[in-house]
Amino acid sequence: MVKNRNEAEIAILTAAKTIFSVKGKDGATMQEIANEAGINKALLHYYFRNKDLLFEEVFFDAVKKFSPILKHAIAQEVDLYQKIQQICEAYITMAIENPFVPVFVLSEVNKQPEIFIQKMFHGDLPDFPKLAAQINKEVSLGNIKPIQPQHLILNMMSMCVFPFVFKPIFIVGMQADKQLFDQLMLERIKTVPQFIIDSIKK
């Protein structure tokens, strides 16, 4: 039983994340979220007027938790291989816990890209230029194979994020199920950074 406003909002956001993770924004209904939260639909609408506002709240709550982890992984002073491992782990873990995030970013980012990205990171974007400089330095020292930093960064991002966008096609096309997909994603926390590292290692 929900006792106060703060408890109600926590219950709603927790329930909404659960439903959105399974059905996405378009497939979820406010009634399902209300049922999951253990409240009536009228109370749900009292706190969140519509599904779009609720989804945005859940989305930015997930990004708010992920953003500092990514920024730290990129900014810290560690060797490139360790940094690749930590960036890939941060992205894939975030997407496993919040599978609605990559799909929503893909659908929204091209509408008003600068505004959307600034809002995601509160104006403090991850320091990708610093990562690019570190890659260039490792190339110049002969520690890794020659590669444009932009390509290496794109390789990491695409291998970490795209499988979650591709999920419905993968499940149908491979005649797989959600459990197999989830297991593969957990395995990719280790296999993706290793694949990236092996591709640049001399």
Side-chain angles (χ1 to χ4, degrees), residues 148-186:
Q148 291 183 16
Q150 295 87 346
H151 280 306
L152 182 53
I153 293 170
L154 285 171
N155 288 346
M156 281 195 292
M157 298 304 103
S158 59
M159 290 190 70
C160 290
V161 177
F162 184 76
F164 295 90
V165 178
F166 190 70
K167 177 181 176 179
I169 299 174
F170 174 84
I171 289 177
V172 174
M174 294 294 294
Q175 298 181 347
D177 57 26
K178 182 180 180 298
Q179 288 71 29
L180 173 59
F181 181 84
D182 291 345
Q183 180 58 42
L184 290 171
M185 295 307 102
L186 286 171

Side-chain angles (χ1 to χ4, degrees), residues 23-190:
K23 296 195 169 184
K25 185 179 78 168
D26 292 337
T29 68
M30 292 292 269
Q31 185 63 61
E32 288 173 320
I33 294 168
N35 293 344
E36 181 72 20
I39 61 174
N40 61 55
K41 191 175 177 182
L43 184 59
L44 174 58
H45 280 285
Y46 173 78
Y47 288 106
F48 296 94
R49 292 194 309 275
N50 58 58
K51 186 171 66 173
D52 288 341
L53 290 174
L54 178 54
F55 184 85
E56 185 171 305
E57 181 75 18
V58 173
F59 171 79
F60 283 110
D61 182 65
V63 171
K64 178 176 65 178
K65 296 172 184 174
F66 164 67
S67 176
I69 298 172
L70 175 62
K71 291 174 188 175
H72 175 71
I74 290 175
Q76 65 179 328
E77 300 296 334
V78 297
D79 70 77
L80 181 60
Y81 293 163
Q82 184 178 349
K83 187 169 288 190
I84 289 170
Q85 291 172 334
Q86 292 178 355
I87 292 170
C88 291
E89 180 179 354
Y91 262 106
I92 296 172
T93 301
M94 178 277 297
I96 289 172
E97 295 175 353
N98 306 280
F100 52 86
V101 168
V103 176
F104 184 66
V105 170
L106 187 66
S107 69
E108 295 295 313
V109 73
N110 290 314
K111 295 177 182 177
Q112 292 181 307
E114 292 186 6
I115 295 174
F116 184 78
I117 293 169
Q118 289 292 331
K119 190 174 181 180
M120 278 183 64
F121 294 103
H122 299 285
D124 182 22
L125 275 65
D127 195 353
F128 283 108
K130 179 176 181 177
L131 175 58
Q134 184 176 6
I135 295 167
N136 274 330
K137 181 178 179 180
E138 292 299 308
V139 170
S140 66
L141 291 172
N143 294 332
I144 63 173
K145 295 176 183 177
I147 187 171
Q148 291 183 16
Q150 295 87 346
H151 280 306
L152 182 53
I153 293 170
L154 285 171
N155 288 346
M156 281 195 292
M157 298 304 103
S158 59
M159 290 190 70
C160 290
V161 177
F162 184 76
F164 295 90
V165 178
F166 190 70
K167 177 181 176 179
I169 299 174
F170 174 84
I171 289 177
V172 174
M174 294 294 294
Q175 298 181 347
D177 57 26
K178 182 180 180 298
Q179 288 71 29
L180 173 59
F181 181 84
D182 291 345
Q183 180 58 42
L184 290 171
M185 295 307 102
L186 286 171
E187 293 171 4
R188 289 179 72 81
I189 292 174
K190 294 187 179 298

